[in-house]
Amino acid sequence: MKNVLIVSGHPDLTTSIANQVILDETAKLLPNAEIRKLDQLFKNGTFDIAAEQAAILNADIIVFQFPFSWFSFSGVMKLWLDEVFEHGFAHGSTAKLAGKKLIISTTTGAPSVLYQKDGFFEHTMEEFAPQFEMIAKLCNFDYTGFIYTNGIGYTSRENQEKIDAQKQEAKKHAERLVTLIKRL
């Protein structure tokens, strides 16, 4: 199998149910995948840029796994992109990432009914995808998919039934993600 890198952009996985389950399940199903957890790698106000770039260079398939925040990346993932995907490495005439495959994998707290033309956000999830497609295009990635699960947040930590339901949805998400990765 190709080298798979999963970059977790959750700002604090210790508070996560869904994103943590997605990572755990994916790790079980793809034990050779490298998972980099940005909430743990962000030290002293920065990332180890050389280590992050080396991990990206080693990967054939890159997955950005994050909670959808303000209709885009989480803050820590956006900061990571700003620092790691610099000109000359990720884009530009000396870019080094061409041909790698990119998968966007995200969760939303809001339910799917809100992500409809007639819903509160007046846009479908697919209509938020072009920004990710443009990142792939700029970096000469092969954009291979946008996987998302809606309504997987805002659960009281005291309601075990809702927590269990959220975990089940996260497991289904991980299975869809792994199926896509294995097809590539």
Side-chain angles (χ1 to χ4, degrees):
M1 174 169 239
K2 297 182 177 190
N3 291 331
V4 177
L5 173 66
I6 300 167
V7 181
S8 166
H10 195 287
D12 183 3
L13 281 167
T14 64
T15 65
S16 172
I17 294 173
N19 278 262
Q20 187 62 61
V21 168
I22 290 167
L23 294 174
D24 291 346
E25 289 297 309
T26 303
K28 284 181 203 171
L29 298 169
L30 296 174
N32 294 326
E34 179 180 1
I35 299 176
R36 300 189 67 79
K37 299 174 180 178
L38 299 184
D39 65 325
Q40 296 172 10
L41 295 171
F42 188 65
K43 306 282 187 215
N44 300 318
T46 191
F47 297 99
D48 180 342
I49 304 305
E52 296 308 303
Q53 289 179 345
I56 294 164
L57 288 173
N58 187 53
D60 301 303
I61 300 169
I62 301 165
V63 177
F64 291 165
Q65 173 63 52
F66 57 96
F68 205 58
S69 179
W70 289 103
F71 313 102
S72 188
F73 293 114
S74 64
V76 70
M77 180 154 268
K78 174 64 169 75
L79 181 62
W80 179 82
L81 281 165
D82 287 347
E83 292 186 9
V84 176
F85 277 53
E86 61 192 5
H87 184 269
F89 172 74
H91 56 94
S93 62
T94 60
K96 300 166 178 62
L97 306 182
K100 295 179 183 296
K101 298 183 182 317
L102 177 65
I103 300 171
I104 300 296
S105 176
T106 190
T107 58
T108 71
S112 60
V113 68
L114 299 182
Y115 288 98
Q116 304 298 322
K117 287 288 191 189
D118 60 350
F120 183 79
F121 298 131
E122 299 178 354
H123 295 280
T124 65
M125 284 297 293
E126 289 78 10
E127 290 176 310
F128 290 103
Q131 62 183 321
F132 307 124
E133 293 170 14
M134 289 309 302
I135 290 168
K137 183 175 182 163
L138 179 65
C139 297
N140 288 308
F141 284 136
D142 178 10
Y143 182 74
T144 56
F146 181 47
I147 295 174
Y148 59 88
T149 300
N150 299 117
I152 202 158
Y154 310 132
T155 297
S156 166
R157 299 306 192 245
E158 287 79 43
N159 187 326
Q160 193 59 48
E161 185 178 324
K162 287 185 179 181
I163 290 170
D164 291 343
Q166 193 177 85
K167 287 180 178 180
Q168 284 306 111
E169 288 302 311
K171 285 180 181 181
K172 290 177 191 173
H173 183 109
E175 289 168 3
R176 290 193 330 267
L177 176 59
V178 169
T179 297
L180 175 57
I181 291 169
K182 287 183 175 181
R183 274 199 334 245
L184 300 177

